Amino acid sequence: MLKTTRLDSGLTVVTERVPGARSVAYGAWVGVGSRDESSALAGASHFLEHLLFKGTQSRSTSDIAEAIDAMGGDMNAFTAREHTGFHVKCLDDDGPEALAILADIMSQPLIAPDDVEVERGVIVEEILERDDEPADWVHDLVLESAFVDHPLGRDVLGTQTTIEAMPRDDIAEFFAANYTPANIVLAAAGAIDHDEVCAAGDAICAARRADAGAHERPAPTRPAAVVAVDVQETEQVHLCIAIPTVHQRDDDRYALGVVDQLFGGGLSSRLFQEVREKRGLAYTIYSYRSLFSDAGLLVISAGTAPSKNCDTLEVIGEELTRLANDGVTAKELDIAKRHLVGAFHLALEDTGARMASIASSQLALGRVDDVDTAAQRIRDVSVDDVARVVNDLCAAPRVVAVVGPVSEAEITDRIAGW
């Protein structure tokens, strides 16, 4: 059963009790991410992701780690471009303690100067590690190329320059200004008590500013066709093709999900069958959606040998053209919808996934649909809905990002006919 309560402070609590569950999952989703940082504070949200686990007014770092380990639990966090999440999962008997720890780190983290310096070094190493992984870097490169001179194009980690220069007091002020009650959704799923979660929400708010952080989010301009190549002597060429599409609040997001699935989302998808199974051009080939509050991309990703790179690009272009010209079959549509509904239900058997789903939905949409309603929205996608999304995709400019031993001229020449 879903329950939603907006506390007097402005913090929203959303919970779902799962009959028979032995586990509980709690999460605090904050509506601030790398998009909301100034250029000088690029990476501040991710910096805070690290620092909130470094101790509070009443618990040390080791107190937190030992308590979570002793209950066999898992506690972690992540940073995205429009939100940051902190979450914990454990057995139901340990739920109250785990929830208290989550509330504590969200309400009164120390952000101690010594801890800032330690984590500064850790994050710089994380950035360097990312730079050494071309298969990861290409995904950041395509976003950077799609959203030029816009915060959505920045890497959530920040840069080595901004991290090394960021003052401790600026990080603490960013927390104080943005981790306010109105910007927080506290979610829970499993063997939970809604009133208990609301009490934890009150505990978070007691030590926070009442005013909401001001989020001025200028919309990005529509991406233009561009080729971005980072020449590296790698064994493989890693490529991403990003195509502008609907944002996360658009009703066509369900049809986009179906298009994503049948085009590059599974073993029976067109890209997997054509690029890998029939032609053997790549081991890794797939598509995914990257949706934001006012912009969206469908991204196609592949890793292939330098000698096969141009052929891979050509086949992807051909498949996009075939999708636009021929549409989709009733069989493809049925398989894609059944897969999405099945995967949706299977994922929600895990209390952590269920908690994350309701938290992100509440934060992004201001509501949480019940499972049956959400599944039905997928089942209702029609051939016409898919055709509308496909036509928009195929008429949109394409952003191509490539990392590997190739030249920009080589890539530009091969995609000239797109």
Side-chain angles (χ1 to χ4, degrees):
M1 177 184 293
L2 279 167
K3 287 187 177 181
T4 302
T5 300
R6 186 172 177 84
L7 305 180
D8 291 341
S9 60
L11 183 146
T12 300
V13 175
V14 55
T15 66
E16 185 169 14
R17 184 164 183 81
V18 181
R22 283 294 317 280
S23 65
V24 290
Y26 303 104
W29 258 231
V30 187
V32 61
S34 59
R35 177 178 185 170
D36 304 300
E37 302 159 351
S38 65
S39 57
L41 287 179
S45 299
H46 177 254
F47 215 141
L48 282 169
E49 175 197 322
H50 283 242
L51 289 171
L52 263 62
F53 292 108
K54 300 295 286 187
T56 70
Q57 302 293 334
S58 57
R59 291 178 172 88
S60 66
T61 304
S62 59
D63 289 338
I64 295 170
E66 289 170 3
I68 298 299
D69 282 351
M71 63 179 71
D74 176 68
M75 191 172 201
N76 215 325
F78 67 89
T79 306
R81 282 169 169 78
E82 294 191 323
H83 64 282
T84 309
F86 301 83
H87 51 94
V88 59
K89 181 180 178 182
C90 61
L91 292 175
D92 55 353
D93 289 344
D94 297 309
E97 182 180 5
L99 181 57
I101 292 172
L102 179 64
D104 197 20
I105 69 170
M106 293 301 299
S107 60
Q108 48 181 357
L110 288 177
I111 313 182
D114 289 347
D115 292 333
V116 171
E117 295 312 310
V118 169
E119 292 307 309
R120 195 189 305 278
V122 170
I123 295 169
V124 168
E125 291 301 320
E126 190 175 355
I127 292 170
L128 295 174
E129 182 178 289
R130 189 283 316 275
D131 291 345
D132 281 342
E133 294 289 344
D136 294 335
W137 161 232
V138 71
H139 295 275
D140 289 320
L141 179 60
V142 80
L143 275 175
E144 179 182 296
S145 304
F147 300 117
V148 178
D149 297 326
H150 189 277
L152 278 177
R154 294 197 205 119
D155 184 359
V156 297
L157 300 181
T159 68
Q160 185 172 349
T161 299
T162 60
I163 295 303
E164 289 179 341
M166 202 175 296
R168 179 268 171 196
D169 288 349
D170 287 0
I171 299 170
E173 175 54 29
F174 187 85
F175 174 82
N178 291 285
Y179 281 54
T180 57
N183 280 343
I184 298 174
V185 170
L186 184 61
I192 53 88
D193 180 282
H194 183 80
D195 292 339
E196 187 177 80
V197 182
C198 288
D202 286 331
I204 292 173
C205 298
R208 307 298 318 122
R209 287 183 184 175
D211 59 311
H215 281 179
E216 294 183 4
R217 287 179 168 173
T221 57
R222 186 172 176 82
V226 66
V227 174
V229 177
D230 183 0
V231 179
Q232 295 188 18
E233 291 304 314
T234 56
E235 294 296 322
Q236 277 196 315
V237 173
H238 302 275
L239 61 91
C240 281
I241 302 162
I243 308 173
T245 186
V246 300
H247 57 74
Q248 64 185 190
R249 296 190 179 99
D250 195 303
D251 285 342
D252 271 344
R253 67 186 182 277
Y254 297 99
L256 176 66
V258 173
V259 173
D260 176 31
Q261 178 61 32
L262 65 85
F263 189 65
L267 299 180
S268 65
S269 69
R270 292 190 180 190
L271 288 179
F272 191 89
Q273 287 296 313
E274 195 67 29
V275 174
R276 175 170 161 166
E277 296 295 279
K278 292 182 182 179
R279 306 184 187 230
L281 293 173
Y283 174 74
T284 301
I285 177 75
Y286 61 94
S287 63
Y288 65 90
R289 292 152 285 164
S290 188
L291 304 185
F292 307 102
S293 59
D294 52 8
L297 298 171
L298 178 70
V299 182
I300 301 160
S301 178
T304 186
S307 62
K308 298 177 180 179
N309 174 61
C310 287
D311 288 341
T312 302
L313 279 168
E314 185 170 318
V315 173
I316 292 171
E318 290 172 352
E319 288 303 308
L320 284 166
T321 299
R322 186 165 73 90
L323 184 66
N325 291 342
D326 300 343
V328 302
T329 66
K331 182 179 179 180
E332 282 182 302
L333 182 64
D334 180 61
I335 291 172
K337 292 197 293 186
R338 288 171 62 186
H339 174 89
L340 290 172
V341 170
F344 177 62
H345 282 291
L346 286 173
L348 295 184
E349 289 188 357
D350 177 78
T351 54
R354 185 167 289 209
M355 176 277 297
S357 177
I358 63 177
S360 57
S361 180
Q362 180 65 45
L363 191 62
L365 306 177
R367 69 174 194 279
V368 179
D369 292 331
D370 63 66
V371 173
D372 291 339
T373 299
Q376 191 59 48
R377 294 294 297 272
I378 298 170
R379 293 190 187 98
D380 287 342
V381 172
S382 67
V383 171
D384 289 342
D385 294 330
V386 168
R388 182 173 58 254
V389 169
V390 166
N391 288 339
D392 287 344
L393 283 169
C394 291
R398 297 168 189 174
V399 179
V400 180
V402 183
V403 178
V406 295
S407 69
E408 183 175 331
E410 179 184 356
I411 301 299
T412 302
D413 288 346
R414 185 48 63 109
I415 67 173
W418 279 12

